[in-house]
């Protein structure tokens, strides 16, 4: 769709939010370019790049902020939309054209990185999508639109992202129209600002001495498209795809967190002691392959987690 009254838009769409952002924009604006930082081996199968090319958009990779401006100038961008972009745009760039950012949190709370993951880990009862004008500072711009979604007790980050992506597709265009008309939005309350640090794949290591609820939240917070929570069985790394707290578990007054206390061949599940209860593991991954937990963890003599003895053996080996 093209009109002199509409801005020529470039989408910077990294991560799992780029596809719905593109769909929300392309039906409402002339999208002239897409910046998507994916590895060369993944570029051919990337759905966002495929959509962009099918709609006649130029595409680029810009691993560094300084690489953005030449591309924006070349395609004649009037306005830039960012969705899942982890870098801070330079002040000089913001003076050249309006920037709009999509942030999956109820700003001013949860500024920074991995916001939906942290919301589940922290036991929040809702997540949110905020579309805001970009100003100097981390996620600090005035709010153009905001919507919230509930986080249920068994919801995974996969489910919450699906809800937020659907909202982004329907509400992004309206917020961009507001910004193009010259509206900045409603100022954030800086006194209510909170921040989240980024997460690395290794942060998914389970500490079995934590509470059952905490471990369950971690597992649910790291499902697809994220690398997943994990533990070790001896030297073998095991991803935990699906688990749930055991309701009214037996009381263990002699407790070793990580110790397997039940293996159900018929159900395919394994019960593991936590710091205060029992977590039932249903599905695991080893070497990228999914399996029933009882097919991998076969005995109540097993203890999950890297023990000091295992670490010593690894060093000696």
């Amino acid at each position: 769709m093209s009109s002199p009254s509409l801005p020529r838009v470039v989408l910077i769409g990294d991560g799992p939010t780029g596809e719905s952002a593109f769909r929300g924009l392309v039906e409402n604006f002339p999208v002239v370019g897409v910046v998507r930082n994916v590895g060369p081996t993944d570029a051919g199968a990337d759905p966002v790049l495929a959509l962009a090319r099918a709609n006649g958009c130029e595409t680029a990779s810009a691993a560094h902020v300084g690489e953005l401006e030449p591309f924006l100038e070349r395609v004649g961008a009037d306005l830039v939309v960012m969705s899942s972009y982890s870098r801070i745009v330079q002040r000089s760039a913001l003076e050249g054209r309006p920037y709009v950012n999509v942030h999956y949190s109820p700003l001013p709370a949860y500024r920074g990185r991995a916001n939906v993951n942290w919301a589940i880990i922290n036991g929040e009862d809702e997540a949110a999508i905020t579309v805001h004008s970009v100003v100097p500072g981390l996620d600090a711009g005035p709010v153009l639109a905001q919507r919230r979604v509930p986080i249920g007790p068994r919801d995974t980050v996969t489910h919450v992202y699906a809800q937020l992506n659907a909202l982004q597709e329907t509400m992004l265009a309206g917020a961009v129209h507001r910004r193009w008309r010259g509206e900045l939005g409603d100022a954030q309350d800086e006194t209510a600002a909170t921040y989240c640090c980024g997460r690395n794949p290794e942060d998914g290591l389970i500490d079995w001495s934590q509470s059952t609820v905490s471990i369950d939240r971690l597992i649910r917070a790291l499902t697809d498209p994220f690398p997943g929570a994990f533990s070790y069985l001896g030297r073998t790394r095991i991803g935990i795809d699906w688990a749930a707290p055991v309701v009214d578990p037996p009381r263990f007054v002699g407790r070793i967190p990580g110790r397997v206390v039940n293996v159900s061949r018929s159900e395919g599940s394994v019960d593991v002691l936590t710091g205060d209860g029992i977590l039932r593991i249903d599905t695991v991954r080893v070497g990228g392959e999914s399996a029933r937990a009882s097919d991998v963890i076969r005995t109540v003599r097993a203890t999950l987690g890297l023990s000091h003895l295992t670490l010593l053996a690894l060093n000696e080996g």
Side-chain angles (χ1 to χ4, degrees), residues 119-149:
I120 295 174
I121 290 169
N122 292 341
E124 302 285 1
D125 58 11
E126 62 182 9
I129 175 173
T130 303
V131 186
H132 67 95
S133 299
V134 178
V135 300
L138 181 62
D139 301 321
V143 173
L144 294 161
Q146 186 176 93
R147 292 278 298 278
R148 297 173 185 251
V149 300

Side-chain angles (χ1 to χ4, degrees), residues 31-187:
V31 180
V32 295
V34 171
V35 177
R36 178 83 167 165
N37 296 311
V38 296
T41 58
D42 300 321
D46 184 75
V48 181
L49 292 179
L51 274 173
R53 290 162 184 161
N55 283 273
C57 303
E58 293 199 43
T59 62
S61 176
H64 303 287
V65 173
E67 298 171 341
L68 284 176
E69 192 60 32
F71 178 71
L72 299 177
E73 290 291 334
R74 180 162 59 83
V75 300
D78 298 315
L79 184 147
V80 178
V81 174
M82 303 188 298
S83 185
S84 294
Y85 191 57
S86 61
R87 296 163 181 83
I88 297 178
V89 178
Q90 298 166 346
R91 183 186 295 269
S92 58
L94 299 178
E95 295 171 352
R97 58 182 60 81
Y99 277 71
V100 170
N101 184 51
V102 182
H103 189 73
Y104 280 9
S105 89
L107 290 176
Y110 281 74
R111 292 177 178 178
R113 304 286 303 280
N115 319 101
V116 183
N117 311 88
W118 282 117
I120 295 174
I121 290 169
N122 292 341
E124 302 285 1
D125 58 11
E126 62 182 9
I129 175 173
T130 303
V131 186
H132 67 95
S133 299
V134 178
V135 300
L138 181 62
D139 301 321
V143 173
L144 294 161
Q146 186 176 93
R147 292 278 298 278
R148 297 173 185 251
V149 300
I151 301 175
R154 303 306 308 146
D155 281 347
T156 66
V157 73
T158 311
H159 175 73
V160 177
Y161 255 93
Q163 294 183 83
L164 294 172
N165 284 340
L167 279 176
Q168 178 181 221
E169 187 170 340
T170 60
M171 66 185 282
L172 180 55
V176 172
H177 276 299
R178 285 190 66 190
R179 184 66 186 90
W180 184 241
R181 291 195 301 264
E183 299 178 51
L184 287 176
D186 301 321

Side-chain angles (χ1 to χ4, degrees), residues 204-227:
L205 178 64
I206 295 170
D207 176 359
W208 292 101
S209 68
Q210 295 291 310
S211 70
T212 310
V213 168
S214 296
I215 297 171
D216 174 57
R217 289 173 181 167
L218 179 69
I219 294 168
R220 291 188 291 111
L222 298 179
T223 56
D224 185 71
F226 298 95

